[in-house]
Amino acid sequence: MRKVFQFCFFLVLVSCVNVSFVPDCLAQIAINEFLVDPARDWDGDGALSARDDEWVEIINLGQSAVDLGGYRLADGDAKPVWRYEFAGTLAPGAIEIVYGSDAKAWEEANGFPAYGLSLNNSGDGVRLYRISLADTSVVDSYSYEEAATRDDRTIGRRADNPGTWVAFDGYNPCTSSCNPAGTGCYPSPGSINSCATATKPISWGAMKSVYR
Ligand SMILES: [Ca+2]
Ligand SMILES: [Ca+2]
Ligand SMILES: [Ca+2]
């Protein structure tokens, strides 16, 4: 029995060490990207709203579909105040996005104050919980500082390395103060966090060196 335990422990250890390639240590359903401080009409209702245009994405990092019943979002409060509960099924690799306006509608329908996702611009947290019978547990969470989320910057997981978080700052390039670091890439609401349109400023000297 002891050897079996040791072998299993070894497997867990190996899988954790390789988190950058095989995200076994990450929850199957995880926070993928979020926007705290909207400066444009992200939910497409024609109006800019500090509440309604916030958004949070979740992703299924596993190999099988997951029933999202019981998965809920909260902000960084020590005692969770529920902002949204997911429903339906999320296929492997699929992403679901929740706008502040979706959270507001859920709150109104379920008797909670209509604060939307309630992600404080000055620093807060995004937490994904799962409620299963009498058990409520944090599945994934991320605490952020103000700079990395200011005016249309998002924070999200790298698609090629989900254990690493970066800032998607294409609309509002980070200076050295961003934590996590900026990428120059744009936010990708509802889709894989891509860097295909990276536009980090490049100096004339660096550009000339490419053609030498
Ligand atoms: Ca906010
Ligand atoms: Ca809007
Ligand atoms: Ca995305």
Side-chain angles (χ1 to χ4, degrees):
M1 177 65 88
R2 184 172 173 154
K3 281 193 174 166
V4 171
F5 171 78
Q6 286 175 334
F7 179 67
C8 290
F9 180 75
F10 174 74
L11 284 181
V12 169
L13 193 64
V14 167
S15 64
C16 287
V17 168
N18 288 325
V19 67
S20 60
F21 301 103
V22 183
D24 290 354
C25 289
L26 301 175
Q28 183 170 359
I29 301 297
I31 298 164
N32 191 53
E33 187 181 3
F34 59 90
L35 183 128
V36 166
D37 185 2
R40 66 190 64 215
D41 176 21
W42 287 97
D43 73 348
D45 72 344
L48 170 61
S49 164
R51 176 189 61 191
D52 296 350
D53 289 311
E54 292 180 343
W55 50 266
V56 174
E57 281 179 358
I58 60 168
I59 187 170
N60 183 349
L61 293 171
Q63 303 294 316
S64 55
V66 173
D67 179 353
L68 293 179
Y71 283 88
R72 290 189 177 190
L73 287 174
D75 65 357
D77 292 344
K79 184 179 179 190
V81 178
W82 305 124
R83 308 298 182 186
Y84 186 78
E85 179 167 350
F86 294 90
T89 301
L90 199 60
I95 287 168
E96 182 149 332
I97 185 168
V98 178
Y99 291 98
S101 45
D102 299 322
K104 170 179 169 279
W106 182 87
E107 288 161 341
E108 288 176 339
N110 290 276
F112 293 98
Y115 293 141
L117 292 162
S118 192
L119 303 174
N120 291 342
N121 295 356
S122 58
D124 198 350
V126 182
R127 291 187 183 158
L128 177 65
Y129 287 81
R130 184 173 182 227
I131 301 172
S132 178
L133 300 175
D135 184 39
T136 300
S137 55
V138 177
V139 172
D140 194 15
S141 69
Y142 191 96
S143 296
Y144 60 84
E145 302 162 357
E146 190 235 342
T149 57
R150 191 179 299 155
D151 282 356
D152 286 341
R153 292 174 185 155
T154 63
I155 292 177
R157 298 180 181 279
R158 279 181 51 155
D160 61 345
N161 183 354
T164 299
W165 294 85
V166 292
F168 295 94
D169 58 338
Y171 288 121
N172 184 14
C174 282
T175 62
S176 58
S177 62
C178 273
N179 178 24
T183 57
C185 304
Y186 289 95
S188 53
S191 60
I192 294 293
N193 299 346
S194 163
C195 210
T197 54
T199 56
K200 266 290 193 214
I202 184 169
S203 70
W204 175 234
M207 196 177 293
K208 281 195 294 186
S209 72
V210 172
Y211 295 100
R212 260 182 210 138

